[in-house]
Short mmCIF file of all heavy atoms in Angstrom, two decimals:
data_model
loop_
_atom_site.label_atom_id
_atom_site.label_comp_id
_atom_site.label_asym_id
_atom_site.label_seq_id
_atom_site.Cartn_x
_atom_site.Cartn_y
_atom_site.Cartn_z
N GLN A 12 76.65 70.15 85.36
CA GLN A 12 76.45 68.74 85.02
C GLN A 12 77.75 67.95 85.08
O GLN A 12 77.76 66.81 85.58
CB GLN A 12 75.84 68.64 83.62
CG GLN A 12 75.50 67.21 83.20
CD GLN A 12 74.85 67.16 81.83
OE1 GLN A 12 75.33 67.78 80.88
NE2 GLN A 12 73.74 66.44 81.72
N GLN A 13 78.84 68.53 84.59
CA GLN A 13 80.10 67.80 84.46
C GLN A 13 81.11 68.12 85.57
O GLN A 13 82.08 67.39 85.74
CB GLN A 13 80.74 68.10 83.10
CG GLN A 13 79.87 67.77 81.91
CD GLN A 13 79.59 66.29 81.77
OE1 GLN A 13 80.40 65.45 82.16
NE2 GLN A 13 78.43 65.95 81.20
N GLY A 14 80.89 69.25 86.26
CA GLY A 14 81.86 69.65 87.28
C GLY A 14 83.17 70.12 86.70
O GLY A 14 84.20 70.11 87.38
N ARG A 15 83.14 70.56 85.43
CA ARG A 15 84.35 71.00 84.75
C ARG A 15 84.08 72.31 84.01
O ARG A 15 82.93 72.62 83.68
CB ARG A 15 84.84 69.93 83.76
CG ARG A 15 85.22 68.61 84.41
CD ARG A 15 85.58 67.57 83.36
NE ARG A 15 86.66 68.03 82.51
CZ ARG A 15 87.95 67.90 82.81
NH1 ARG A 15 88.30 67.32 83.94
NH2 ARG A 15 88.89 68.32 81.98
N ASP A 16 85.15 73.05 83.74
CA ASP A 16 85.03 74.31 83.04
C ASP A 16 84.79 74.06 81.55
O ASP A 16 85.58 73.39 80.89
CB ASP A 16 86.28 75.16 83.24
CG ASP A 16 86.19 76.50 82.54
OD1 ASP A 16 85.62 77.43 83.13
OD2 ASP A 16 86.68 76.61 81.40
N TYR A 17 83.70 74.61 81.03
CA TYR A 17 83.33 74.39 79.63
C TYR A 17 84.41 74.88 78.68
O TYR A 17 84.78 74.18 77.72
CB TYR A 17 82.01 75.09 79.33
CG TYR A 17 81.67 75.13 77.86
CD1 TYR A 17 81.10 74.03 77.24
CD2 TYR A 17 81.93 76.27 77.10
CE1 TYR A 17 80.80 74.06 75.88
CE2 TYR A 17 81.63 76.31 75.74
CZ TYR A 17 81.07 75.19 75.14
OH TYR A 17 80.79 75.23 73.79
N PHE A 18 84.92 76.09 78.91
CA PHE A 18 85.85 76.69 77.96
C PHE A 18 87.20 75.97 77.98
O PHE A 18 87.86 75.84 76.94
CB PHE A 18 86.00 78.18 78.25
CG PHE A 18 84.72 78.94 78.07
CD1 PHE A 18 83.95 79.30 79.17
CD2 PHE A 18 84.27 79.28 76.81
CE1 PHE A 18 82.75 79.98 79.01
CE2 PHE A 18 83.07 79.95 76.64
CZ PHE A 18 82.31 80.30 77.74
N ASP A 19 87.61 75.48 79.15
CA ASP A 19 88.84 74.71 79.23
C ASP A 19 88.68 73.38 78.48
O ASP A 19 89.57 72.98 77.72
CB ASP A 19 89.22 74.45 80.69
CG ASP A 19 90.58 73.78 80.81
OD1 ASP A 19 91.57 74.35 80.31
OD2 ASP A 19 90.65 72.68 81.39
N ASP A 20 87.55 72.72 78.68
CA ASP A 20 87.32 71.45 77.98
C ASP A 20 87.19 71.65 76.47
O ASP A 20 87.61 70.81 75.68
CB ASP A 20 86.07 70.77 78.53
CG ASP A 20 86.34 70.03 79.84
OD1 ASP A 20 87.47 70.14 80.36
OD2 ASP A 20 85.43 69.35 80.34
N LEU A 21 86.58 72.76 76.07
CA LEU A 21 86.48 73.08 74.64
C LEU A 21 87.87 73.18 74.03
O LEU A 21 88.14 72.61 72.96
CB LEU A 21 85.72 74.39 74.46
CG LEU A 21 85.56 74.90 73.02
CD1 LEU A 21 84.60 74.01 72.24
CD2 LEU A 21 85.07 76.35 73.01
N TYR A 22 88.76 73.88 74.72
CA TYR A 22 90.13 74.01 74.22
C TYR A 22 90.84 72.66 74.20
O TYR A 22 91.47 72.30 73.20
CB TYR A 22 90.91 75.00 75.09
CG TYR A 22 92.39 75.01 74.79
CD1 TYR A 22 92.88 75.60 73.63
CD2 TYR A 22 93.30 74.40 75.65
CE1 TYR A 22 94.23 75.60 73.34
CE2 TYR A 22 94.65 74.38 75.36
CZ TYR A 22 95.11 74.98 74.20
OH TYR A 22 96.46 74.96 73.91
N GLN A 23 90.75 71.90 75.30
CA GLN A 23 91.46 70.63 75.39
C GLN A 23 90.97 69.64 74.34
O GLN A 23 91.77 68.89 73.76
CB GLN A 23 91.32 70.04 76.80
CG GLN A 23 91.96 70.87 77.91
CD GLN A 23 93.46 71.06 77.74
OE1 GLN A 23 94.12 70.30 77.02
NE2 GLN A 23 94.00 72.07 78.40
N ALA A 24 89.66 69.61 74.07
CA ALA A 24 89.13 68.70 73.05
C ALA A 24 89.69 69.04 71.68
O ALA A 24 90.05 68.14 70.89
CB ALA A 24 87.60 68.77 73.04
N HIS A 25 89.80 70.32 71.36
CA HIS A 25 90.37 70.73 70.08
C HIS A 25 91.88 70.48 70.04
O HIS A 25 92.43 70.09 68.99
CB HIS A 25 90.07 72.21 69.82
CG HIS A 25 88.69 72.47 69.34
ND1 HIS A 25 87.59 72.49 70.16
CD2 HIS A 25 88.20 72.72 68.08
CE1 HIS A 25 86.50 72.75 69.46
NE2 HIS A 25 86.84 72.90 68.20
N ARG A 26 92.55 70.68 71.16
CA ARG A 26 93.99 70.47 71.20
C ARG A 26 94.33 69.00 70.97
O ARG A 26 95.33 68.68 70.31
CB ARG A 26 94.53 70.94 72.55
CG ARG A 26 96.06 70.92 72.67
CD ARG A 26 96.50 71.60 73.96
NE ARG A 26 97.94 71.61 74.09
CZ ARG A 26 98.66 70.63 74.64
NH1 ARG A 26 98.04 69.56 75.12
NH2 ARG A 26 99.97 70.72 74.71
N MET A 27 93.50 68.10 71.49
CA MET A 27 93.77 66.67 71.35
C MET A 27 93.78 66.22 69.89
O MET A 27 94.48 65.26 69.54
CB MET A 27 92.73 65.86 72.13
CG MET A 27 92.90 65.93 73.64
SD MET A 27 91.54 65.10 74.51
CE MET A 27 91.79 63.41 73.97
N VAL A 28 93.04 66.89 69.03
CA VAL A 28 92.99 66.49 67.62
C VAL A 28 93.81 67.43 66.73
O VAL A 28 93.72 67.37 65.50
CB VAL A 28 91.53 66.41 67.11
CG1 VAL A 28 90.77 65.34 67.87
CG2 VAL A 28 90.83 67.76 67.23
N GLY A 29 94.59 68.33 67.36
CA GLY A 29 95.48 69.19 66.59
C GLY A 29 94.87 70.47 66.07
O GLY A 29 95.42 71.10 65.17
N CYS A 30 93.72 70.88 66.64
CA CYS A 30 93.04 72.09 66.16
C CYS A 30 93.13 73.26 67.13
O CYS A 30 92.35 74.22 67.00
CB CYS A 30 91.58 71.77 65.86
SG CYS A 30 91.34 70.92 64.29
N ALA A 31 94.02 73.19 68.11
CA ALA A 31 94.14 74.30 69.07
C ALA A 31 95.56 74.38 69.60
O ALA A 31 96.27 73.37 69.68
CB ALA A 31 93.15 74.12 70.22
N PHE A 32 95.95 75.58 69.97
CA PHE A 32 97.27 75.81 70.55
C PHE A 32 97.25 77.11 71.32
O PHE A 32 96.31 77.90 71.21
CB PHE A 32 98.36 75.84 69.47
CG PHE A 32 98.15 76.91 68.42
CD1 PHE A 32 98.73 78.17 68.56
CD2 PHE A 32 97.40 76.66 67.29
CE1 PHE A 32 98.54 79.16 67.61
CE2 PHE A 32 97.20 77.64 66.32
CZ PHE A 32 97.78 78.88 66.48
N GLU A 33 98.28 77.34 72.13
CA GLU A 33 98.41 78.58 72.88
C GLU A 33 99.43 79.49 72.23
O GLU A 33 100.43 79.03 71.68
CB GLU A 33 98.80 78.30 74.33
CG GLU A 33 97.70 77.61 75.13
CD GLU A 33 97.95 77.66 76.63
OE1 GLU A 33 98.58 78.64 77.10
OE2 GLU A 33 97.52 76.74 77.33
N ARG A 34 99.14 80.78 72.29
CA ARG A 34 100.05 81.78 71.72
C ARG A 34 100.03 83.01 72.63
O ARG A 34 99.02 83.70 72.72
CB ARG A 34 99.60 82.15 70.31
CG ARG A 34 100.39 83.30 69.67
CD ARG A 34 101.84 82.87 69.39
NE ARG A 34 102.52 83.85 68.58
CZ ARG A 34 103.14 84.94 69.06
NH1 ARG A 34 103.12 85.17 70.36
NH2 ARG A 34 103.76 85.77 68.25
N GLY A 35 101.12 83.23 73.37
CA GLY A 35 101.23 84.42 74.21
C GLY A 35 100.18 84.49 75.29
O GLY A 35 99.73 85.58 75.64
N GLY A 36 99.76 83.35 75.82
CA GLY A 36 98.76 83.35 76.88
C GLY A 36 97.33 83.25 76.38
O GLY A 36 96.41 83.02 77.16
N ALA A 37 97.11 83.42 75.08
CA ALA A 37 95.78 83.27 74.49
C ALA A 37 95.66 81.88 73.88
O ALA A 37 96.64 81.30 73.41
CB ALA A 37 95.54 84.33 73.43
N ARG A 38 94.47 81.35 73.90
CA ARG A 38 94.20 80.04 73.30
C ARG A 38 93.52 80.24 71.94
O ARG A 38 92.52 80.95 71.83
CB ARG A 38 93.31 79.21 74.22
CG ARG A 38 94.05 78.79 75.50
CD ARG A 38 93.14 78.04 76.45
NE ARG A 38 93.93 77.29 77.44
CZ ARG A 38 93.41 76.50 78.37
NH1 ARG A 38 92.09 76.36 78.45
NH2 ARG A 38 94.20 75.85 79.20
N VAL A 39 94.09 79.61 70.93
CA VAL A 39 93.60 79.75 69.55
C VAL A 39 93.01 78.41 69.11
O VAL A 39 93.67 77.38 69.22
CB VAL A 39 94.74 80.18 68.61
CG1 VAL A 39 94.23 80.33 67.18
CG2 VAL A 39 95.38 81.49 69.09
N ILE A 40 91.78 78.44 68.62
CA ILE A 40 91.05 77.22 68.27
C ILE A 40 90.51 77.35 66.85
O ILE A 40 89.80 78.31 66.53
CB ILE A 40 89.87 76.98 69.23
CG1 ILE A 40 90.35 76.81 70.67
CG2 ILE A 40 89.03 75.79 68.78
CD1 ILE A 40 89.21 76.79 71.69
N ALA A 41 90.85 76.39 65.98
CA ALA A 41 90.19 76.26 64.68
C ALA A 41 88.94 75.42 64.93
O ALA A 41 89.03 74.21 65.15
CB ALA A 41 91.11 75.59 63.67
N ASN A 42 87.78 76.04 64.92
CA ASN A 42 86.56 75.43 65.42
C ASN A 42 86.17 74.19 64.62
O ASN A 42 86.04 74.23 63.39
CB ASN A 42 85.42 76.46 65.38
CG ASN A 42 84.24 76.07 66.24
OD1 ASN A 42 84.21 74.99 66.81
ND2 ASN A 42 83.28 76.96 66.34
N LEU A 43 85.95 73.07 65.33
CA LEU A 43 85.51 71.83 64.69
C LEU A 43 84.02 71.85 64.35
O LEU A 43 83.55 70.99 63.59
CB LEU A 43 85.80 70.64 65.61
CG LEU A 43 87.27 70.24 65.74
CD1 LEU A 43 87.47 69.25 66.88
CD2 LEU A 43 87.78 69.64 64.43
N ALA A 44 83.29 72.79 64.92
CA ALA A 44 81.87 72.96 64.60
C ALA A 44 81.64 74.41 64.20
O ALA A 44 80.92 75.16 64.87
CB ALA A 44 80.99 72.57 65.78
N PRO A 45 82.25 74.84 63.09
CA PRO A 45 82.22 76.27 62.73
C PRO A 45 80.85 76.72 62.25
O PRO A 45 80.10 75.96 61.64
CB PRO A 45 83.24 76.36 61.58
CG PRO A 45 83.23 74.99 60.96
CD PRO A 45 83.00 74.04 62.10
N VAL A 46 80.53 77.97 62.55
CA VAL A 46 79.29 78.54 62.07
C VAL A 46 79.35 78.75 60.57
O VAL A 46 78.33 78.69 59.87
CB VAL A 46 78.97 79.86 62.80
CG1 VAL A 46 79.98 80.95 62.48
CG2 VAL A 46 77.56 80.34 62.48
N LYS A 47 80.56 78.98 60.04
CA LYS A 47 80.79 79.09 58.60
C LYS A 47 82.28 78.87 58.36
O LYS A 47 83.01 78.47 59.26
CB LYS A 47 80.30 80.45 58.06
CG LYS A 47 79.87 80.41 56.61
CD LYS A 47 78.66 79.51 56.38
CE LYS A 47 78.32 79.36 54.90
NZ LYS A 47 78.64 78.06 54.34
N GLU A 48 82.73 79.17 57.14
CA GLU A 48 84.08 78.78 56.73
C GLU A 48 85.18 79.36 57.63
O GLU A 48 85.16 80.54 57.98
CB GLU A 48 84.34 79.23 55.29
CG GLU A 48 83.31 78.77 54.27
CD GLU A 48 83.23 77.26 54.14
OE1 GLU A 48 84.22 76.57 54.42
OE2 GLU A 48 82.14 76.77 53.78
N LYS A 49 86.14 78.48 57.98
CA LYS A 49 87.40 78.87 58.64
C LYS A 49 87.16 79.60 59.96
O LYS A 49 87.93 80.50 60.32
CB LYS A 49 88.25 79.74 57.71
CG LYS A 49 88.54 79.14 56.34
CD LYS A 49 89.43 80.08 55.52
CE LYS A 49 89.63 79.57 54.10
NZ LYS A 49 88.40 79.72 53.27
N GLU A 50 86.17 79.24 60.72
CA GLU A 50 85.93 79.94 61.98
C GLU A 50 87.04 79.65 62.98
O GLU A 50 87.40 78.50 63.21
CB GLU A 50 84.59 79.57 62.60
CG GLU A 50 84.31 80.43 63.84
CD GLU A 50 82.99 80.13 64.51
OE1 GLU A 50 82.53 78.98 64.44
OE2 GLU A 50 82.41 81.06 65.10
N VAL A 51 87.55 80.71 63.59
CA VAL A 51 88.61 80.61 64.59
C VAL A 51 88.13 81.28 65.87
O VAL A 51 87.53 82.37 65.84
CB VAL A 51 89.92 81.28 64.10
CG1 VAL A 51 90.99 81.23 65.19
CG2 VAL A 51 90.42 80.59 62.83
N LEU A 52 88.39 80.64 67.01
CA LEU A 52 88.07 81.20 68.33
C LEU A 52 89.38 81.57 69.02
O LEU A 52 90.37 80.84 68.92
CB LEU A 52 87.32 80.19 69.19
CG LEU A 52 86.16 79.42 68.56
CD1 LEU A 52 85.56 78.44 69.57
CD2 LEU A 52 85.09 80.37 68.03
N ILE A 53 89.38 82.68 69.73
CA ILE A 53 90.53 83.12 70.52
C ILE A 53 90.03 83.38 71.94
O ILE A 53 89.11 84.18 72.13
CB ILE A 53 91.18 84.40 69.95
CG1 ILE A 53 91.55 84.19 68.48
CG2 ILE A 53 92.40 84.78 70.76
CD1 ILE A 53 91.90 85.49 67.76
N ILE A 54 90.61 82.70 72.91
CA ILE A 54 90.11 82.77 74.29
C ILE A 54 91.22 83.25 75.22
O ILE A 54 92.36 82.78 75.16
CB ILE A 54 89.60 81.39 74.75
CG1 ILE A 54 88.42 80.94 73.88
CG2 ILE A 54 89.19 81.42 76.22
CD1 ILE A 54 87.92 79.55 74.18
N SER A 55 90.87 84.19 76.09
CA SER A 55 91.81 84.70 77.08
C SER A 55 91.00 85.11 78.31
O SER A 55 89.78 85.27 78.24
CB SER A 55 92.59 85.90 76.54
OG SER A 55 93.47 86.43 77.50
N HIS A 56 91.70 85.30 79.43
CA HIS A 56 91.00 85.70 80.66
C HIS A 56 90.92 87.21 80.83
O HIS A 56 90.27 87.70 81.75
CB HIS A 56 91.67 85.06 81.88
CG HIS A 56 91.46 83.58 81.95
ND1 HIS A 56 90.22 83.01 82.10
CD2 HIS A 56 92.34 82.54 81.85
CE1 HIS A 56 90.33 81.69 82.12
NE2 HIS A 56 91.60 81.38 81.95
#
């Protein structure tokens, strides 16, 4: 639908508001829509 990578946009949207950063090649996200308390996502290839 968007012609863009979902996981990249997920990271960039969180990064824009200060809830994501990169660490050693992995992307760390404090989820803005958490399933429960303090949910964190870690994404790598």
Side-chain angles (χ1 to χ4, degrees):
Q12 184 178 48
Q13 303 295 330
R15 298 175 58 86
D16 181 85
Y17 170 81
F18 297 101
D19 187 57
D20 280 5
L21 178 70
Y22 170 74
Q23 296 299 340
H25 281 79
R26 187 172 181 272
M27 287 174 64
V28 297
C30 282
F32 59 92
E33 291 195 30
R34 174 68 170 86
R38 291 176 162 183
V39 180
I40 299 171
N42 198 355
L43 287 168
V46 66
K47 208 64 186 108
E48 306 298 334
K49 306 181 185 73
E50 186 179 30
V51 177
L52 314 179
I53 305 167
I54 298 175
S55 178
H56 290 296

